[in-house]
Amino acid sequence: MLYDPAWCDAMVTSICNDAYFRWFDSGDLPSLEALERIVEVCVRTPATLHWLPTREYAMVKAYITKHGRDSLPDNLIIRLSAMYPDRPVVVPASLRGVKNVLTSNVHTKGAVPAGSACGAPERGGRCGPCRDCWDVSVEAVSYPKH
Ligand code: SF4
């Protein structure tokens, strides 16, 4: 589906002018080409802020290597997801300082390892007014493990 020639057009139509869009409620980036197609959708939906969480650091690196450190569009934030709870993401050297590449952690009990604590659990699993994951000024967010 993602590789269907009509996929980008379909996504642009579906997102329309929504203010916020989250990629991959489940699953993750399957390939570099997938990320390239997502970027195309972002470029074609400039009124929408996009957030893409991923553990596929290598895929992001491949994109940046191919397209450049400033190549992600302004309206796409990629958050590198933590591999383990209570251990903040270590951004690979190749991705440090890359435009719009940020992080998200997971905490169990006690202190948040790094970043702004997600308040969705207190809102029945909804973001409510919070938009931290789409906010480029929020370097790290941290989700409670459930
Ligand atoms: S509530 Fe905020 S931090 Fe939590 S998922 Fe939503 S935008 Fe991200």
Side-chain angles (χ1 to χ4, degrees):
M1 178 70 178
L2 203 150
Y3 302 104
D4 188 303
W7 181 83
C8 287
D9 290 344
M11 285 306 298
V12 168
T13 302
S14 149
I15 291 168
C16 193
N17 284 320
D18 286 355
Y20 299 94
F21 187 80
R22 178 198 164 150
W23 292 90
F24 297 119
D25 273 334
S26 60
D28 206 333
L29 274 175
S31 67
L32 170 60
E33 186 187 350
L35 180 52
E36 290 173 328
R37 291 172 74 77
I38 286 169
V39 167
E40 180 185 333
V41 172
C42 295
V43 169
R44 292 174 57 191
T45 53
T48 302
L49 280 176
H50 297 257
W51 153 38
L52 190 165
T54 183
R55 285 196 176 87
E56 296 289 348
Y57 299 11
M59 223 72 84
V60 179
K61 180 183 173 188
Y63 182 91
I64 295 301
T65 301
K66 182 174 176 184
H67 297 281
R69 295 175 64 81
D70 290 327
S71 58
L72 292 175
D74 290 342
N75 63 333
L76 170 61
I77 288 177
I78 294 179
R79 288 198 180 271
L80 304 178
S81 303
M83 300 294 180
Y84 307 99
D86 298 322
R87 286 166 61 177
V89 171
V90 177
V91 179
S94 57
L95 293 176
R96 277 181 214 145
V98 168
K99 176 189 171 186
N100 288 14
V101 174
L102 304 169
T103 62
S104 59
N105 299 307
V106 175
H107 56 275
T108 51
K109 293 182 181 141
V112 171
S116 162
C118 170
E122 288 102 65
R123 293 187 287 271
R126 297 182 178 278
C127 291
C130 179
R131 293 293 178 267
D132 282 359
C133 290
W134 289 271
D135 187 340
V136 74
S137 73
V138 179
E139 288 239 359
V141 294
S142 187
Y143 312 117
K145 184 167 171 45
H146 51 263

